[in-house]
Amino acid sequence: MFTIVKVSMLFKSDSNIKLADLYYTILPILSGIGACLVAMALGFWIFPPIRRILSVKKDL
C-alpha cells in the first residue's frame, strides 16, 4: 500500500520519470520485505530443527 502511494506521488510530481528514480523509490520497501521474508524463513524453518537437535544433545 505504501509503495503505491509513494509511486503515485512520484508520478504526480513528474510524469516523465526515469526507471532509476522508480527503482530507488521502491528499493527501501523491497529491502524491508526481503528482510522480513528472510527472518520468517529462519524463524519457521531453519531454527526449529537446530533447536531440537541442540535440546536432544543437551539432554544427553
Side-chain angles (χ1 to χ4, degrees):
M1 181 69 183
F2 183 72
T3 307
I4 295 169
V5 171
K6 201 165 185 178
V7 169
S8 66
M9 286 174 38
L10 189 63
F11 276 116
K12 188 176 181 180
S13 66
D14 184 19
S15 61
N16 295 326
I17 187 170
K18 296 180 198 172
L19 187 60
D21 293 334
L22 186 63
Y23 176 73
Y24 287 121
T25 300
I26 298 175
L27 184 64
I29 298 163
L30 295 178
S31 299
I33 292 170
C36 181
L37 292 174
V38 167
M40 284 175 37
L42 289 173
F44 293 133
W45 293 295
I46 296 173
F47 288 148
I50 293 172
R51 273 190 236 120
R52 273 188 239 114
I53 291 169
L54 291 177
S55 68
V56 168
K57 287 183 180 180
K58 188 176 166 183
D59 291 336
L60 294 176

